[in-house]
Amino acid sequence: MRMEIMNRKGRKGRKEHQTRKLKPRMNADERRCKYSLFACIGVHLRFLFVFLCVLCVLCGSSSAAELQIAQDGKSDYSIVVPPHSSPAMKLAADEIQKYVEQMSGVKLPVRSGEIERGKPVIYIAMSPHSSHAVVRADEATILIACNSPDGVLNAAYRFLDLLGCRFLAPHFDHYNGAAEVIPKQKTLTLKLDSTIESDPKLKFRKLYVEEGHSHDIQNLKQLAEWTPKVGYNTLVIPTDYQGSGRVRWDNWRKELTPELQKRGITIEVGGHGYQNFLGAELAGGKYFAEHPEWFAKSAAGKPQKAKQWVFCTSNADAVKQLTTNFLAYIKDRPEIQIFDFWPPDGARWCECDACKKLGEPPDRQAILLKQVQDAVQPVRPDLRLEVIAYSSYLQPPKNVAVDKNVLVDFCPISQHFDAQINDPDNKNKTYADALQAWRKQFAGDISIYSYYRKYAWDSLPVIIPRYMQKDLQWYATLPTQGVSVYSEPGDWFTYELNHYVLAALAWDENVDVDALVQKFCAARYGDEAGVAKKTLDALERIVRVYCSVPHVPLKDPGAIAKAQAEVKMLVGDVSSARARAMDENVKRSLERLGLMCTYALRDLEIQHLRATKAPREQVVEQAKSLHAWVKSHADDGVFLIRGNRLNQNRMLTRYGVGEPRKTPAMPE
Ligand SMILES: [Zn+2]
């Protein structure tokens, strides 16, 4: 009931965002009418025939179908793409060829040209008036179509999923070739209960590189390859994360750009922050030496060099220099489609009087954004700017409007994962309120910068398919238009279910999550899927509530002991399943699932010590021992050790027994 009231309140006055698919599916006549438009006048005669064929397939009376694509290692099918197809469409054809061959041993010929109705053909086509990714069968013709090349590619992967291919994770090296599960079957049958018409609910479905502890060019390519397979569509890479030069678009752009472009993946670059274009260390320190007034002033009026200080945004010359540098950057990098124009992380804002007059940080960010946006418009009108709603600028600005063409990234950084984002009795309410305030006054797109795989979890198995669904169902009521998640290869196995399910939720927040988890487990864990699903379900209930997850209060010793007992059982069950398993890949997956459970169990043991007020030394000893154990499994794809993110002091700090930090706090 409470939810319903909030929904109504949330939707008030924002009709343009009511994109929920409330209308019923088109009937055959409506569909015919809609598609007949696309055989429009002016189409070259040669293509008219092709279009008419597509029209026949689209408008035919097909519903349920069972087609044998290969039988006993033989096939009459061929794959056809229209002449002059885009790279994504050609890739769609190649991918179907590749996976059908992997499954059945038959290499279907790919040709460019026209089709004849009734012939066994897999036809890959653009359907200009349908934004749905379509998989449809009519007699022996299978149509794979959408109105965009990346949509067609996605439809191709949907088709392969129907045939049994499971794209569970990117081909990272630690999967040893088992990231995907492609069943071997000499007879390949497509069973279609009805036409598949799929339309993503969220426009932006992003993977963030962000801190990039374990990314390199090889696994970034692997990530790009996987992105459209499950339905993500944007990769976000920092300009230069924390200015260290390590996680930097320029390090990878040459090799990565073609990989992203041929898949129609949106290239988003930027992040924290302004200092990449106006920093004290840039231009050999010249800016600071010659123009200290461009930089932030402390309350005492002293110019500040440190990166977390936002430069003096009320200084027109400083803004001009930053804009000049920014324009040069984006002019040289035409591949960038969205730029994240954010303040530095942990931002401290200039304390000079002129800056104070501009207003609070949300207003100061919006004013600077507008100045930069006006300068970008004539140079790169195609470039979309993104701002961040975060930290001291979480709220929308009070006196300045943000242009509706700007994308807003909303960051609930301290989300408490033992309650949903819209729980009115939790600190999460701050975020829900701020987001609703944004929705009320901002007409453009808002994407959620989610923490559904969070650095501060230190690779704890916070498994949350159902939790994410409830959040996304609430976000859909506002509505919002995107969601993102970090994408570290280093501990991908731990969070692979989160990544897999989030992609599906971004397409449809009401997807049957239980069935999806079942499907995932059947592919990843084979005959032991039952044990694995029970384990993952239990981890979802336990870890986010009882383990040392930041912002989740320590529970009482009795409740922790109960959780401990349950996880201990899981460790035993997974170990028995591993001993039983015959398939090597299943065995390996269970071994890794076992590592996840053991980490949770050992974490709960320390949580119990803390809850019973055990001596500090005991907690330190256990935490050190746990860190050594985690480190010994650095190469299993379960724990993110590379990049020194999960160092010993970090783990001690998580248990409240760390040494005070000597360096500035890392963001979460
Ligand atoms: Zn200032």
Side-chain angles (χ1 to χ4, degrees):
M1 190 60 207
R2 188 187 294 136
M3 182 84 175
E4 279 175 19
I5 291 165
M6 290 185 82
N7 290 358
R8 237 176 282 140
K9 200 174 154 197
R11 280 183 202 169
K12 206 174 158 190
R14 282 183 308 285
K15 283 209 161 103
E16 67 270 39
H17 281 297
Q18 293 181 8
T19 53
R20 291 164 70 90
K21 282 183 281 179
L22 295 173
K23 58 181 180 192
R25 245 214 184 147
M26 288 184 292
N27 63 33
D29 285 342
E30 285 169 329
R31 211 183 290 131
R32 193 167 292 124
C33 170
K34 188 170 173 186
Y35 288 118
S36 64
L37 284 171
F38 103 67
C40 54
I41 303 160
V43 174
H44 194 287
L45 270 179
R46 190 162 105 99
F47 299 125
L48 186 62
F49 175 73
V50 178
F51 279 147
L52 286 173
C53 291
V54 178
L55 200 65
C56 290
V57 178
L58 279 164
C59 301
S61 58
S62 99
S63 51
E66 197 167 315
L67 301 175
Q68 286 207 334
I69 293 169
Q71 200 172 8
D72 299 325
K74 291 192 184 95
S75 176
D76 295 329
Y77 270 87
S78 57
I79 304 165
V80 180
V81 289
H84 315 295
S85 287
S86 66
M89 290 176 72
K90 285 181 190 145
L91 181 64
D94 291 346
E95 289 288 84
I96 290 173
Q97 183 188 50
K98 177 176 115 183
Y99 284 105
V100 166
E101 188 181 12
Q102 274 187 33
M103 280 189 280
S104 67
V106 182
K107 189 169 184 174
L108 304 181
V110 176
R111 66 179 171 87
S112 167
E114 296 143 10
I115 58 164
E116 251 180 87
R117 194 176 179 192
K119 284 275 165 66
V121 153
I122 299 168
Y123 188 54
I124 295 167
M126 292 284 278
S127 56
H129 293 282
S130 172
S131 64
H132 304 291
V134 176
V135 180
R136 185 183 172 89
D138 178 52
E139 295 177 23
T141 307
I142 298 163
L143 177 77
I144 291 168
C146 192
N147 69 344
S148 64
D150 58 313
V152 173
L153 185 58
N154 187 272
Y157 290 123
R158 246 156 230 273
F159 165 72
L160 290 168
D161 182 86
L162 285 170
L163 290 179
C165 294
R166 295 291 176 261
F167 305 110
L168 306 182
H171 276 300
F172 295 142
D173 294 354
H174 61 70
Y175 279 100
N176 282 317
E180 298 177 350
V181 177
I182 311 301
K184 297 261 182 245
Q185 43 205 58
K186 285 205 153 182
T187 295
L188 210 53
T189 308
L190 174 71
K191 283 184 194 149
L192 263 181
D193 293 334
S194 60
T195 300
I196 307 278
E197 280 186 87
S198 187
D199 204 5
K201 183 66 174 286
L202 298 180
K203 211 190 293 183
F204 305 94
R205 307 179 300 277
K206 311 180 187 181
L207 294 167
Y208 266 85
V209 169
E210 193 67 8
E211 295 186 19
H213 296 285
S214 58
H215 292 90
D216 55 36
I217 186 59
Q218 192 185 338
N219 60 37
L220 281 167
K221 283 183 184 172
Q222 292 160 340
L223 190 65
E225 194 203 333
W226 178 76
T227 297
K229 288 179 175 173
V230 288
Y232 289 107
N233 70 348
T234 304
L235 185 67
V236 192
I237 300 188
T239 308
D240 187 0
Y241 184 74
Q242 306 292 58
S244 72
R246 188 177 54 82
V247 185
R248 187 166 167 258
W249 174 238
D250 284 358
N251 294 350
W252 302 312
R253 66 182 285 254
K254 202 168 156 233
E255 280 191 75
L256 202 52
T257 298
E259 296 298 318
L260 297 170
Q261 286 179 339
K262 78 175 174 198
R263 294 178 170 84
I265 299 170
T266 299
I267 299 176
E268 183 173 329
V269 172
H272 311 291
Y274 306 150
Q275 73 279 13
N276 287 314
F277 304 101
L278 190 70
E281 287 158 23
L282 294 185
K286 191 180 81 173
Y287 297 146
F288 192 83
E290 294 176 9
H291 302 282
E293 74 281 6
W294 287 359
F295 291 82
K297 263 74 80 186
S298 64
K302 192 171 177 256
Q304 299 296 314
K305 256 187 184 179
K307 279 181 191 140
Q308 73 266 34
W309 280 93
V310 175
F311 73 97
C312 186
T313 59
S314 64
N315 185 304
D317 289 338
V319 173
K320 199 174 159 199
Q321 187 62 60
L322 169 125
T323 307
T324 303
N325 293 347
F326 179 59
L327 292 183
Y329 183 86
I330 54 166
K331 261 196 261 181
D332 286 349
R333 293 163 184 79
E335 73 281 1
I336 300 175
Q337 294 160 279
I338 301 176
F339 191 90
D340 300 348
F341 192 71
W342 302 351
D345 205 2
R348 295 188 64 181
W349 296 76
C350 180
E351 297 187 37
C352 81
D353 289 339
C355 279
K356 279 185 196 161
K357 272 189 205 148
L358 297 176
E360 295 297 314
D363 284 76
R364 294 197 211 175
Q365 174 176 234
I367 291 165
L368 178 66
L369 172 78
K370 179 82 180 78
Q371 290 169 302
V372 172
Q373 198 189 0
D374 288 346
V376 166
Q377 179 58 30
V379 179
R380 281 284 312 272
D382 58 310
L383 181 76
R384 188 163 192 173
L385 291 179
E386 190 209 75
V387 282
I388 186 170
Y390 174 64
S391 180
S392 63
Y393 37 103
L394 182 73
Q395 296 288 337
K398 286 198 180 90
N399 304 310
V400 192
V402 173
D403 184 277
K404 70 173 169 35
N405 292 316
V406 168
L407 175 60
V408 170
D409 217 358
F410 185 87
C411 303
I413 186 166
S414 302
Q415 178 166 359
H416 293 218
F417 283 90
D418 55 346
Q420 295 299 143
I421 191 70
N422 61 324
D423 188 328
D425 302 322
N426 188 278
K427 283 190 180 159
N428 290 343
K429 190 174 185 307
T430 317
Y431 295 114
D433 288 348
L435 182 58
Q436 282 171 311
W438 265 105
R439 187 67 298 166
K440 205 167 176 177
Q441 76 171 62
F442 176 62
D445 294 331
I446 300 178
S447 187
I448 303 298
Y449 186 106
S450 94
Y451 293 88
Y452 295 145
R453 173 263 172 269
K454 190 165 172 153
Y455 286 104
W457 291 343
D458 292 347
S459 304
L460 274 170
V462 185
I463 309 298
I464 46 172
R466 291 160 195 85
Y467 177 91
M468 292 190 297
Q469 176 163 49
K470 285 182 194 147
D471 270 11
L472 263 72
Q473 284 171 335
W474 181 72
Y475 287 134
T477 65
L478 299 175
T480 51
Q481 288 72 36
V483 70
S484 63
V485 68
Y486 296 138
S487 66
E488 287 287 341
D491 56 358
W492 191 279
F493 188 90
T494 293
Y495 300 115
E496 61 174 9
L497 186 61
N498 290 4
H499 287 301
Y500 186 78
V501 172
L502 183 62
L505 287 169
W507 276 70
D508 174 11
E509 76 278 5
N510 296 316
V511 70
D512 182 345
V513 166
D514 203 63
L516 200 60
V517 175
Q518 182 75 54
K519 178 176 162 182
F520 183 92
C521 289
R524 175 63 80 225
Y525 298 98
D527 290 344
E528 301 299 340
V531 174
K533 180 163 184 298
K534 198 185 101 196
T535 303
L536 291 162
D537 288 352
L539 289 176
E540 172 154 18
R541 273 187 290 108
I542 294 168
V543 176
R544 67 186 178 87
V545 179
Y546 302 101
C547 285
S548 62
V549 175
H551 308 297
V552 172
L554 188 63
K555 302 298 186 291
D556 69 78
I560 296 172
K562 217 175 137 214
Q564 257 179 287
E566 197 176 344
V567 176
K568 202 170 177 184
M569 294 264 289
L570 298 178
V571 171
D573 291 349
V574 171
S575 169
S576 308
R578 185 185 155 202
R580 273 196 307 267
M582 306 296 282
D583 183 290
E584 278 311 309
N585 290 332
V586 169
K587 231 180 185 26
R588 176 68 179 136
S589 297
L590 286 162
E591 186 186 348
R592 303 214 265 189
L593 183 60
L595 291 175
M596 288 160 60
C597 293
T598 302
Y599 187 18
L601 180 61
R602 294 189 63 171
D603 178 84
L604 287 167
E605 284 165 10
I606 300 174
Q607 291 288 82
H608 194 259
L609 288 177
R610 296 172 71 202
T612 51
K613 308 234 173 339
R616 186 178 190 276
E617 307 79 72
Q618 215 179 329
V619 176
V620 170
E621 192 193 334
Q622 289 283 317
K624 281 185 175 172
S625 156
L626 178 55
H627 184 261
W629 176 79
V630 164
K631 214 174 159 185
S632 73
H633 289 284
D635 301 321
D636 284 304
V638 179
F639 309 127
L640 179 62
I641 305 295
R642 252 210 265 176
N644 203 30
R645 174 76 203 190
L646 214 180
N647 59 41
Q648 184 178 281
N649 195 45
R650 222 192 122 75
M651 190 173 273
L652 294 177
T653 305
R654 213 174 76 226
Y655 295 116
V657 292
E659 299 297 324
R661 292 180 203 267
K662 292 187 190 86
T663 49
M666 281 275 253
E668 301 184 44

